[in-house]
mmCIF file of all heavy atoms in Angstrom:
data_model
loop_
_atom_site.group_PDB
_atom_site.id
_atom_site.type_symbol
_atom_site.label_atom_id
_atom_site.label_comp_id
_atom_site.label_asym_id
_atom_site.label_seq_id
_atom_site.Cartn_x
_atom_site.Cartn_y
_atom_site.Cartn_z
ATOM 1 N N LEU A 62 -95.161 -50.038 -28.316
ATOM 2 C CA LEU A 62 -94.772 -51.250 -29.042
ATOM 3 C C LEU A 62 -95.289 -51.200 -30.465
ATOM 4 O O LEU A 62 -96.469 -50.921 -30.701
ATOM 5 C CB LEU A 62 -95.330 -52.485 -28.328
ATOM 6 C CG LEU A 62 -95.148 -53.843 -29.027
ATOM 7 C CD1 LEU A 62 -93.675 -54.225 -29.100
ATOM 8 C CD2 LEU A 62 -95.950 -54.925 -28.309
ATOM 9 N N LEU A 63 -94.392 -51.456 -31.416
ATOM 10 C CA LEU A 63 -94.780 -51.715 -32.801
ATOM 11 C C LEU A 63 -94.390 -53.147 -33.129
ATOM 12 O O LEU A 63 -93.228 -53.534 -32.979
ATOM 13 C CB LEU A 63 -94.061 -50.759 -33.755
ATOM 14 C CG LEU A 63 -94.440 -49.275 -33.703
ATOM 15 C CD1 LEU A 63 -93.608 -48.487 -34.714
ATOM 16 C CD2 LEU A 63 -95.926 -49.072 -33.969
ATOM 17 N N GLN A 64 -95.352 -53.936 -33.564
ATOM 18 C CA GLN A 64 -95.082 -55.325 -33.941
ATOM 19 C C GLN A 64 -95.108 -55.456 -35.460
ATOM 20 O O GLN A 64 -96.051 -55.015 -36.120
ATOM 21 C CB GLN A 64 -96.121 -56.261 -33.315
ATOM 22 C CG GLN A 64 -96.006 -56.379 -31.805
ATOM 23 C CD GLN A 64 -97.030 -57.322 -31.225
ATOM 24 O OE1 GLN A 64 -98.125 -56.921 -30.840
ATOM 25 N NE2 GLN A 64 -96.679 -58.595 -31.176
ATOM 26 N N ARG A 65 -94.077 -56.085 -35.991
ATOM 27 C CA ARG A 65 -93.969 -56.269 -37.433
ATOM 28 C C ARG A 65 -94.132 -57.755 -37.755
ATOM 29 O O ARG A 65 -94.073 -58.613 -36.877
ATOM 30 C CB ARG A 65 -92.646 -55.714 -37.935
ATOM 31 C CG ARG A 65 -92.434 -54.260 -37.467
ATOM 32 C CD ARG A 65 -91.475 -53.497 -38.302
ATOM 33 N NE ARG A 65 -90.136 -54.062 -38.353
ATOM 34 C CZ ARG A 65 -89.169 -53.631 -39.157
ATOM 35 N NH1 ARG A 65 -89.410 -52.633 -39.994
ATOM 36 N NH2 ARG A 65 -87.960 -54.177 -39.141
ATOM 37 N N LYS A 66 -94.297 -58.047 -39.040
ATOM 38 C CA LYS A 66 -94.653 -59.408 -39.443
ATOM 39 C C LYS A 66 -93.486 -60.376 -39.469
ATOM 40 O O LYS A 66 -93.669 -61.586 -39.516
ATOM 41 C CB LYS A 66 -95.320 -59.377 -40.823
ATOM 42 C CG LYS A 66 -96.658 -58.649 -40.827
ATOM 43 C CD LYS A 66 -97.291 -58.664 -42.200
ATOM 44 C CE LYS A 66 -98.640 -57.953 -42.176
ATOM 45 N NZ LYS A 66 -99.288 -57.956 -43.523
ATOM 46 N N GLY A 67 -92.256 -59.857 -39.470
ATOM 47 C CA GLY A 67 -91.093 -60.742 -39.535
ATOM 48 C C GLY A 67 -89.817 -59.934 -39.496
ATOM 49 O O GLY A 67 -89.836 -58.722 -39.239
ATOM 50 N N LYS A 68 -88.680 -60.584 -39.758
ATOM 51 C CA LYS A 68 -87.373 -59.919 -39.735
ATOM 52 C C LYS A 68 -87.208 -59.070 -40.990
ATOM 53 O O LYS A 68 -86.920 -59.583 -42.070
ATOM 54 C CB LYS A 68 -86.257 -60.966 -39.633
ATOM 55 C CG LYS A 68 -86.236 -61.708 -38.299
ATOM 56 C CD LYS A 68 -85.028 -62.637 -38.187
ATOM 57 C CE LYS A 68 -83.754 -61.837 -38.015
ATOM 58 N NZ LYS A 68 -82.579 -62.703 -37.772
ATOM 59 N N LEU A 69 -87.385 -57.780 -40.834
ATOM 60 C CA LEU A 69 -87.354 -56.856 -41.966
ATOM 61 C C LEU A 69 -86.115 -55.981 -41.979
ATOM 62 O O LEU A 69 -85.962 -55.142 -42.859
ATOM 63 C CB LEU A 69 -88.612 -55.980 -41.945
ATOM 64 C CG LEU A 69 -89.944 -56.735 -41.986
ATOM 65 C CD1 LEU A 69 -91.114 -55.769 -41.854
ATOM 66 C CD2 LEU A 69 -90.059 -57.557 -43.268
ATOM 67 N N GLY A 70 -85.231 -56.164 -41.007
ATOM 68 C CA GLY A 70 -83.965 -55.434 -41.018
ATOM 69 C C GLY A 70 -83.921 -54.301 -40.017
ATOM 70 O O GLY A 70 -84.919 -53.628 -39.742
ATOM 71 N N LEU A 71 -82.723 -54.087 -39.479
ATOM 72 C CA LEU A 71 -82.498 -53.038 -38.482
ATOM 73 C C LEU A 71 -82.871 -51.664 -39.012
ATOM 74 O O LEU A 71 -83.539 -50.865 -38.337
ATOM 75 C CB LEU A 71 -81.029 -53.053 -38.057
ATOM 76 C CG LEU A 71 -80.604 -52.006 -37.030
ATOM 77 C CD1 LEU A 71 -81.075 -52.419 -35.649
ATOM 78 C CD2 LEU A 71 -79.081 -51.832 -37.031
ATOM 79 N N GLY A 72 -82.428 -51.365 -40.231
ATOM 80 C CA GLY A 72 -82.663 -50.050 -40.794
ATOM 81 C C GLY A 72 -84.141 -49.731 -40.947
ATOM 82 O O GLY A 72 -84.585 -48.632 -40.594
ATOM 83 N N THR A 73 -84.921 -50.674 -41.454
ATOM 84 C CA THR A 73 -86.350 -50.414 -41.627
ATOM 85 C C THR A 73 -87.039 -50.248 -40.284
ATOM 86 O O THR A 73 -87.995 -49.470 -40.158
ATOM 87 C CB THR A 73 -87.035 -51.530 -42.432
ATOM 88 O OG1 THR A 73 -86.968 -52.768 -41.706
ATOM 89 C CG2 THR A 73 -86.380 -51.705 -43.801
ATOM 90 N N ALA A 74 -86.570 -50.954 -39.267
ATOM 91 C CA ALA A 74 -87.142 -50.786 -37.926
ATOM 92 C C ALA A 74 -86.912 -49.367 -37.419
ATOM 93 O O ALA A 74 -87.842 -48.701 -36.931
ATOM 94 C CB ALA A 74 -86.535 -51.800 -36.958
ATOM 95 N N TYR A 75 -85.671 -48.889 -37.543
ATOM 96 C CA TYR A 75 -85.391 -47.525 -37.086
ATOM 97 C C TYR A 75 -86.151 -46.495 -37.907
ATOM 98 O O TYR A 75 -86.651 -45.495 -37.364
ATOM 99 C CB TYR A 75 -83.895 -47.241 -37.127
ATOM 100 C CG TYR A 75 -83.171 -47.708 -35.892
ATOM 101 C CD1 TYR A 75 -82.064 -48.556 -35.978
ATOM 102 C CD2 TYR A 75 -83.577 -47.302 -34.620
ATOM 103 C CE1 TYR A 75 -81.402 -48.988 -34.837
ATOM 104 C CE2 TYR A 75 -82.921 -47.729 -33.484
ATOM 105 C CZ TYR A 75 -81.832 -48.570 -33.592
ATOM 106 O OH TYR A 75 -81.190 -48.989 -32.464
ATOM 107 N N LEU A 76 -86.263 -46.703 -39.198
ATOM 108 C CA LEU A 76 -86.994 -45.745 -40.030
ATOM 109 C C LEU A 76 -88.466 -45.672 -39.623
ATOM 110 O O LEU A 76 -89.048 -44.576 -39.569
ATOM 111 C CB LEU A 76 -86.861 -46.118 -41.502
ATOM 112 C CG LEU A 76 -85.459 -45.919 -42.102
ATOM 113 C CD1 LEU A 76 -85.400 -46.478 -43.516
ATOM 114 C CD2 LEU A 76 -85.049 -44.441 -42.092
ATOM 115 N N GLU A 77 -89.055 -46.812 -39.305
ATOM 116 C CA GLU A 77 -90.437 -46.796 -38.800
ATOM 117 C C GLU A 77 -90.504 -46.072 -37.465
ATOM 118 O O GLU A 77 -91.443 -45.317 -37.186
ATOM 119 C CB GLU A 77 -90.975 -48.221 -38.675
ATOM 120 C CG GLU A 77 -91.323 -48.868 -39.994
ATOM 121 C CD GLU A 77 -92.100 -50.167 -39.820
ATOM 122 O OE1 GLU A 77 -92.984 -50.215 -38.933
ATOM 123 O OE2 GLU A 77 -91.832 -51.129 -40.562
#
Side-chain angles (χ1 to χ4, degrees):
L62 174 66
L63 292 179
Q64 291 181 269
R65 308 202 300 172
K66 295 181 179 180
K68 293 186 71 174
L69 302 176
L71 179 77
T73 64
Y75 275 126
L76 290 173
E77 286 191 40

